[in-house]
Amino acid sequence: MLMSELLMKHDAPMDAYRQLFDGILSQRLAPGTKLNEVELTVLFGVSRTLIRQALQRLQLEQVVEIHKNRGAFVAAPSPDLAQQILLARHTIELAVVNLACERCTVGDVEQLQHMIDLEQSAIDQGDMATALRRSGEFHLQLAIVAGNQPFVHALRGLISQTSLIITMYSHGGGNACARDEHSLLLAAVSAGDQQQAQQQMAHHLGHIAAGCDFTQSPQMANLKGAFAHLS
Amino acid sequence: MLMSELLMKHDAPMDAYRQLFDGILSQRLAPGTKLNEVELTVLFGVSRTLIRQALQRLQLEQVVEIHKNRGAFVAAPSPDLAQQILLARHTIELAVVNLACERCTVGDVEQLQHMIDLEQSAIDQGDMATALRRSGEFHLQLAIVAGNQPFVHALRGLISQTSLIITMYSHGGGNACARDEHSLLLAAVSAGDQQQAQQQMAHHLGHIAAGCDFTQSPQMANLKGAFAHLS
DNA sequence: GTACATAATATTGTATACAATATAAGTGAA
DNA sequence: TTCACTTATATTGTATACAATATTATGTAC
């Protein structure tokens, strides 16, 4: 099989999943939004079978809630759950940076630095949704570098949920300092300084939590608007 | 709706999932076993739709591996992955007992003690497969008591995978001392002694790892034999 | 107009049918 | 035999059809 064919070949179920995932993470689909199956079939051009597959997967990643006979909705973590999520991230990511300090190669550092730059360029363009998504990708890459598959798996869901939390509860600007924090974190990891890296990570995650107030409720969005670019 | 109807009403997709899950966790389905979809439909009396739903869910819990166009197989973690899993459990369960120490009620202690007793009775009857499953349920209940949903979610998969690891790599007797360890752990949690509880948990998980050698390969099993009690 | 019951519609749940791919069986030549 | 190649079979991937449930609309009594 040619490389071009490999690149062209689109994996239908993954595509539907990715589109939905991106739609949610980029904040085009607000927490609580109902995800109607037939609407999604026409938007993505696949049958309900694949839509339901994607929705189930998103549910198991805790990004979507499915209520029996009622349908799927973009998850809207309660304040209590939100704090549980941030605590879980704290625990896992501290362990992750510890491992990353031991295993990070120069190639890894380059890639992580590149991701920081991409995040910053999104911030410079005022595209905070993209910046938020890229920030999550940086954290996930750190877990990949750490070389622990279960941590990667758990963090994938937790990071996505954190994006939802920030969408719902953060009163802006709270994560504008993210760039510096990511850079400081990477510097510590790159130097293999576990003590410093853990401190940076704890500080960074603390900032995210501090930027939320957990008293206001979220606004919804509608499906067609979120995927208007497709039709 | 009557209570009896509620109890009778079986949730078909959950049933298929549970049967498979139990089959794997109780070691009737050995790691690596192929899970043929049509065979499962006749065994469970539901259509491939629900079988595939169950398999996908098990895949996302890392208990089953699905290879595109090749089918589903009971997961068989490599020695390297096995160690990553045990490390992840170590990290998360230490945090769990910490929380459990703060939140454990007398009712929780009773329930946990009951689960220890059930595990012990399985050991007394020589049913190590059931004992192993009950041991996992004890650990999961501890996470529920701790009140952190993401930890529960992550541990559900990790504990299941640990069962597979023990099936594949443990040279017996290694977890015979589990009862005492669980009891000591519960005592510490019940007393709210975080220091002691963490130490017990670390010791307990260390024992599991120490009981494995990671050099031998697993044996397979066939489907019809594993579910012979159904037909 | 409100409240309730009933019918019409829409949406999800499950099973089946068809398509695509992989596996196994057969066939012939070296 | 063994290898390659072709054909047949089995298995998975996807779409559709039908069933069950929920939501909305309609009508009627008060």
Side-chain angles (χ1 to χ4, degrees):
Chain A
M1 185 182 285
L2 294 173
M3 196 47 153
S4 58
E5 286 174 324
L6 271 174
L7 292 174
M8 284 302 157
K9 194 175 183 69
H10 46 261
D11 191 346
M14 204 47 141
D15 277 7
Y17 164 80
R18 278 237 151 269
Q19 294 238 47
L20 269 171
F21 186 83
D22 284 1
I24 295 171
L25 269 286
S26 63
Q27 305 181 337
R28 286 174 303 186
L29 287 169
T33 307
K34 161 130 203 208
L35 300 170
N36 182 291
E37 294 180 1
V38 295
E39 284 186 54
L40 292 172
T41 63
V42 305
L43 283 170
F44 298 157
V46 296
S47 79
R48 275 181 59 218
T49 304
L50 298 185
I51 297 297
R52 286 173 67 84
Q53 234 175 272
L55 289 173
Q56 192 192 347
R57 176 164 178 179
L58 289 164
Q59 176 190 31
L60 294 177
E61 283 180 6
Q62 316 271 81
V63 175
V64 156
E65 293 174 14
I66 297 180
H67 304 281
K68 190 173 169 67
N69 289 325
R70 300 262 335 275
F73 303 81
V74 178
S78 68
D80 182 47
L81 177 57
Q83 282 166 303
Q84 293 176 24
I85 289 164
L86 293 176
L87 170 60
R89 274 195 69 167
H90 185 93
T91 300
I92 294 175
E93 299 219 54
L94 247 51
V96 161
V97 290
N98 228 26
L99 291 171
C101 283
E102 297 169 354
R103 303 179 45 113
C104 197
T105 70
V106 289
D108 292 332
V109 175
E110 266 180 37
Q111 186 177 5
L112 287 164
Q113 182 59 53
H114 182 59
M115 298 180 83
I116 293 175
D117 294 341
L118 283 177
E119 181 189 354
Q120 183 59 32
S121 84
I123 293 174
D124 293 341
Q125 295 174 351
D127 186 351
M128 298 315 282
T130 298
L132 180 56
R133 185 165 50 79
R134 296 232 166 103
S135 170
E137 286 165 0
F138 171 81
H139 281 259
L140 194 61
Q141 184 62 32
L142 215 48
I144 292 172
V145 168
N148 188 290
Q149 195 262 355
F151 282 156
V152 174
H153 189 254
L155 273 184
R156 201 189 312 277
L158 290 172
I159 291 170
S160 304
Q161 292 182 85
T162 304
S163 293
L164 292 174
I165 291 168
I166 290 175
T167 301
M168 291 175 72
Y169 301 111
S170 177
H171 37 263
N175 54 326
C177 48
R179 185 193 192 280
D180 294 332
E181 291 182 6
H182 282 179
S183 289
L184 288 169
L185 179 57
L186 178 56
V189 168
S190 171
D193 185 343
Q194 293 182 329
Q195 185 90 17
Q196 177 72 6
Q198 289 203 3
Q199 199 173 322
Q200 285 297 335
M201 178 61 89
H203 185 249
H204 178 46
L205 293 176
H207 260 218
I208 293 175
C212 301
D213 71 354
F214 300 123
T215 56
Q216 55 202 2
S217 49
Q219 70 273 8
M220 309 285 153
N222 67 331
L223 262 182
K224 313 119 199 165
F227 293 106
H229 61 290
L230 288 183
S231 46
Chain B
M1 185 182 286
L2 295 172
M3 197 44 154
S4 58
E5 285 174 325
L6 270 173
L7 293 174
M8 283 302 155
K9 193 177 182 70
H10 45 258
D11 191 346
M14 205 45 142
D15 276 6
Y17 164 80
R18 276 236 152 269
Q19 295 239 45
L20 270 171
F21 186 83
D22 284 0
I24 294 170
L25 270 283
S26 63
Q27 304 180 336
R28 285 174 304 186
L29 288 169
T33 307
K34 161 130 202 208
L35 301 170
N36 181 293
E37 293 179 1
V38 296
E39 285 187 53
L40 292 173
T41 62
V42 306
L43 282 170
F44 298 157
V46 296
S47 79
R48 276 182 59 218
T49 303
L50 297 185
I51 297 296
R52 287 174 66 85
Q53 233 174 272
L55 289 174
Q56 193 192 347
R57 176 163 177 179
L58 289 164
Q59 176 190 32
L60 295 177
E61 282 179 7
Q62 315 271 80
V63 175
V64 156
E65 293 174 14
I66 297 180
H67 304 281
K68 189 173 171 67
N69 289 326
R70 299 263 336 274
F73 303 81
V74 179
S78 69
D80 182 47
L81 177 57
Q83 282 166 302
Q84 292 176 24
I85 290 164
L86 293 176
L87 171 60
R89 272 195 71 167
H90 185 94
T91 301
I92 294 175
E93 299 218 53
L94 247 51
V96 161
V97 291
N98 227 26
L99 291 172
C101 284
E102 297 168 354
R103 302 179 45 113
C104 196
T105 70
V106 289
D108 292 331
V109 175
E110 265 180 37
Q111 184 177 7
L112 287 164
Q113 182 58 54
H114 182 59
M115 299 180 84
I116 292 176
D117 294 340
L118 284 176
E119 181 189 354
Q120 183 59 33
S121 84
I123 293 175
D124 293 342
Q125 295 174 350
D127 186 351
M128 298 315 282
T130 299
L132 180 56
R133 185 166 50 78
R134 296 232 167 103
S135 170
E137 286 165 1
F138 171 81
H139 281 259
L140 194 61
Q141 185 62 32
L142 214 46
I144 293 172
V145 168
N148 187 291
Q149 194 262 354
F151 282 155
V152 173
H153 189 254
L155 274 185
R156 200 190 313 276
L158 290 173
I159 290 170
S160 305
Q161 291 182 85
T162 303
S163 293
L164 292 175
I165 291 168
I166 289 175
T167 301
M168 290 176 73
Y169 301 111
S170 177
H171 38 263
N175 55 324
C177 48
R179 184 193 193 280
D180 294 332
E181 290 181 8
H182 282 178
S183 290
L184 288 169
L185 180 57
L186 179 54
V189 168
S190 171
D193 185 343
Q194 292 181 329
Q195 186 89 16
Q196 176 72 5
Q198 289 204 3
Q199 199 173 322
Q200 286 296 336
M201 178 61 88
H203 184 250
H204 178 46
L205 293 175
H207 261 218
I208 294 175
C212 301
D213 72 352
F214 300 123
T215 56
Q216 54 202 4
S217 50
Q219 70 274 9
M220 309 284 152
N222 68 331
L223 262 182
K224 313 121 199 165
F227 293 105
H229 61 291
L230 288 182
S231 45

